[in-house]
């Protein structure tokens, strides 16, 4: 029986992703000099205005001019260099404040008999891994990211300099017996310079799509939807308002797994919305990489001010090689799931977050300087030994 799920991605020039980029760049600015900084930075962009707000507690002197420079540099790097919303012309407004002491006390001291550092908020977080791709991510979101990431690279290197920063992709994949075998529908919308027709964009984009996606996945029955509204010259915040944290499914698994609802960008790792979601992905990926399951979903839940998760749930979707209860116990023996334990193990108190702001937080290659540490598969032997 066939199955046809769909996932979407958006480029760094999409209004929401632009806001994520600025919020994460502000976070990295504070973590660069103060690994214990508390940051909750929100960005909004519309027309010619850019607004930054939120709460900061950090051992770092800064001015509004510092924050403004971060924002304008990000806008320029993404490619908005002309028009009302550009790095030179946008109107900047800064409303950053100090973190609430009521929230800080929960993180600092925990509650009741629990005197360890507590979680920065309540919530549930999910991690997921499967064998559909080499990076153990669902194929629809992985290849949707690949399209807009590669098209952005070619725009920036001048190959397609007629294209502009705002782009969106969407793929509907056909599965047979749980294995992706082809693509039914491709949607790709890209902002472009004035004077190009829809056919001009199709002539650029359709060959690019065919060359980028796996051989054999596109056939005569695959339907292409390239700039389906026709003209797409007005884009970015001039075309549509943007806001930090509004692409949480794009950021995670494309709808292939549950989501707890918490966004990531602009939040320091004391916020378990971010750090525990990274930990859950790390654990799920190591479970699958170890051969203990072919699919794995891990759910964690936390209470504000409490240092340990109040629940750990494991679902291997009928593919597990051991009982889920045994796997859950092995996970908790292998990894300290307190907020501090997560940050220490994954080395999250570093300025590593700007690259996460577009093209997904998961399925990326870990680097020697600490980016995407939650994508490592270095827990395999520990998990097996603790079964």
């Amino acid at each position: 029986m066939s199955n046809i799920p769909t996932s979407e991605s958006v480029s760094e020039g999409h209004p929401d992703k632009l806001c994520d980029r600025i919020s994460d760049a502000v976070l990295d600015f504070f973590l660069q000099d103060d690994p214990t900084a508390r940051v909750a930075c929100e960005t909004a962009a519309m027309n010619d205005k850019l607004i930054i707000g939120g709460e900061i507690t950090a051992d770092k002197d800064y001015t509004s001019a510092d924050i403004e420079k971060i924002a304008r540099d990000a806008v320029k790097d993404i490619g908005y260099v002309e028009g009302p919303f550009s790095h030179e012309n946008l109107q900047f407004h800064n409303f950053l404040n100090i973190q609430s002491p009521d929230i800080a006390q929960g993180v600092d001291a925990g509650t009741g008999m629990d005197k360890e550092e507590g979680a920065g908020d309540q919530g549930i977080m999910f991690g997921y891994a499967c064998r559909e791709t080499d990076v153990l991510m669902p194929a629809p979101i992985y290849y949707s990211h690949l399209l807009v990431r590669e098209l952005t690279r070619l725009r920036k290197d001048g190959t397609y300099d007629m294209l502009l920063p705002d782009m969106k992709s969407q793929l509907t994949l056909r599965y047979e017996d749980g294995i992706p075998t082809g693509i039914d529908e491709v949607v790709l919308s890209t902002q472009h310079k004035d004077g190009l027709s829809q056919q001009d964009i199709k002539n650029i984009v359709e060959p690019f799509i065919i060359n980028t996606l796996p051989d054999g996945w596109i056939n005569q029955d695959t339907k292409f939807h390239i700039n389906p509204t026709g003209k797409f010259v007005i884009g970015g915040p001039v075309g549509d308002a943007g806001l930090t944290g509004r692409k949480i499914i794009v950021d995670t698994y494309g709808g292939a797994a549950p989501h707890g609802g918490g966004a990531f960008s602009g939040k320091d790792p004391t916020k378990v919305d971010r750090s525990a979601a990274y930990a859950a992905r790390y654990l799920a990926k190591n479970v699958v990489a170890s051969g203990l399951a072919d699919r794995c979903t891990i759910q964690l839940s936390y209470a504000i001010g409490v240092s340990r998760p109040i629940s750990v749930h494991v679902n291997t979707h009928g593919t597990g090689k051991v009982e889920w209860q045994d796997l859950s116990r092995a996970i908790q023996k292998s990894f300290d799931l307190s907020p501090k334990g997560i940050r220490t193990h994954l080395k999250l108190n570093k300025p590593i977050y700007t690259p996460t702001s577009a093209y997904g937080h998961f399925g990326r290659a870990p680097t020697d300087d600490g980016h995407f540490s939650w994508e490592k598969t270095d827990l395999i032997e520990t998990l097996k030994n603790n079964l």
Side-chain angles (χ1 to χ4, degrees):
M1 179 178 291
S2 63
N3 185 22
I4 44 176
T6 300
S7 291
E8 70 159 345
S9 181
V10 297
S11 72
E12 63 192 53
H14 184 280
D16 295 332
K17 284 283 123 195
L18 178 144
C19 292
D20 286 346
R21 164 71 173 272
I22 293 169
S23 293
D24 275 333
V26 170
L27 169 61
D28 282 347
F29 168 76
F30 285 100
L31 290 176
Q32 182 71 51
D33 297 316
D34 181 4
T36 65
R38 305 273 175 82
V39 179
C41 179
E42 309 284 352
T43 304
M46 67 228 57
N47 298 317
D48 62 345
K49 297 175 179 61
L50 186 70
I51 301 166
I52 294 182
E55 297 78 45
I56 308 289
T57 299
D59 185 17
K60 180 183 178 78
D61 293 328
Y62 72 97
T63 67
S64 185
D66 294 324
I67 306 301
E68 182 172 357
K69 184 178 187 306
I70 292 167
R72 291 187 187 274
D73 286 349
V75 170
K76 181 180 180 180
D77 182 68
I78 288 169
Y80 290 111
V81 295
E82 297 179 346
F85 190 91
S86 65
H87 67 292
E88 291 183 339
N89 296 332
L90 65 84
Q91 298 181 37
F92 176 81
H93 305 274
N94 176 30
F95 299 101
L96 291 173
N97 295 302
I98 301 295
Q99 184 185 38
S100 162
D102 289 353
I103 295 175
Q105 69 179 354
V107 177
D108 292 338
T111 60
M113 297 299 293
D114 184 354
K115 297 301 182 183
E116 296 181 47
E117 176 189 291
D121 202 353
Q122 71 174 46
I124 56 175
M125 300 83 204
F126 291 90
Y128 180 74
C130 63
R131 294 197 176 277
E132 293 180 19
T133 60
D134 290 343
V135 294
L136 306 185
M137 284 289 286
I141 187 66
Y142 176 80
Y143 288 107
S144 292
H145 285 321
L146 182 64
L147 286 179
V148 288
R149 187 176 71 237
E150 285 301 295
L151 196 56
T152 295
R153 181 182 65 80
L154 293 170
R155 172 184 66 82
K156 285 187 162 185
D157 74 12
T159 302
Y160 296 141
D161 61 0
M162 70 293 291
L163 303 183
L164 295 173
D166 197 352
M167 302 177 186
K168 300 179 76 170
S169 66
Q170 185 170 285
L171 293 178
T172 300
L173 267 62
R174 181 169 293 277
Y175 286 64
E176 299 293 340
D177 298 323
I179 299 171
T181 58
I183 296 177
D184 275 14
E185 310 265 350
V186 181
V187 183
L188 201 151
S189 297
T190 177
Q191 186 187 11
H192 58 85
K193 293 181 179 179
D194 203 3
L196 295 174
S197 68
Q198 185 182 34
Q199 188 59 50
D200 291 332
I201 301 302
K202 287 183 178 180
N203 292 341
I204 296 167
V205 169
E206 287 190 9
F208 160 79
I209 292 171
I210 293 168
N211 291 330
T212 302
L213 295 177
D215 291 341
W217 279 20
I218 293 177
N219 56 41
Q220 66 274 13
D221 296 323
T222 302
K223 296 181 177 62
F224 287 82
H225 307 276
I226 309 301
N227 281 17
T229 61
K231 188 177 180 180
F232 186 9
V233 172
I234 300 171
V238 176
D240 190 13
L243 191 65
T244 297
R246 206 159 53 179
K247 285 291 179 285
I248 58 176
I249 300 302
V250 171
D251 283 343
T252 53
Y253 306 102
H259 197 295
F264 301 156
S265 288
K267 296 178 180 178
D268 75 80
T270 67
K271 281 77 169 173
V272 285
D273 278 346
R274 183 168 216 162
S275 56
Y278 290 171
R281 162 64 179 173
Y282 174 71
L283 291 167
K285 186 174 184 180
N286 275 270
V287 166
V288 173
S290 70
L292 294 172
D294 292 330
R295 289 176 63 202
C296 182
T297 301
I298 292 177
Q299 182 197 61
L300 307 175
S301 64
Y302 290 83
I304 188 168
V306 178
S307 67
R308 300 285 163 174
I310 58 177
S311 71
V312 179
H313 177 68
V314 180
N315 183 359
T316 56
H317 308 277
T319 70
K321 308 305 187 289
V322 297
E323 294 295 326
W324 74 265
Q325 296 94 332
D326 295 332
L327 187 53
S328 179
R329 282 191 289 270
I331 284 170
Q332 293 176 75
K333 288 180 183 178
S334 302
F335 190 92
D336 180 356
L337 284 165
S338 69
K340 183 178 180 180
I342 292 169
R343 295 201 313 278
T344 300
H345 189 108
L346 298 179
K347 298 179 173 62
L348 298 181
N349 285 105
K350 300 171 69 174
I352 56 174
Y353 296 102
T354 299
T356 69
S357 60
Y359 316 119
H361 292 244
F362 308 127
R364 311 282 290 274
T367 67
D368 292 339
D369 55 2
H371 295 90
F372 302 102
S373 60
W374 50 92
E375 290 297 313
K376 292 181 178 180
T377 52
D378 55 2
L379 203 69
I380 291 172
E381 293 306 316
T382 303
L383 280 171
K384 289 181 176 179
N385 291 337
N386 281 322
L387 281 171

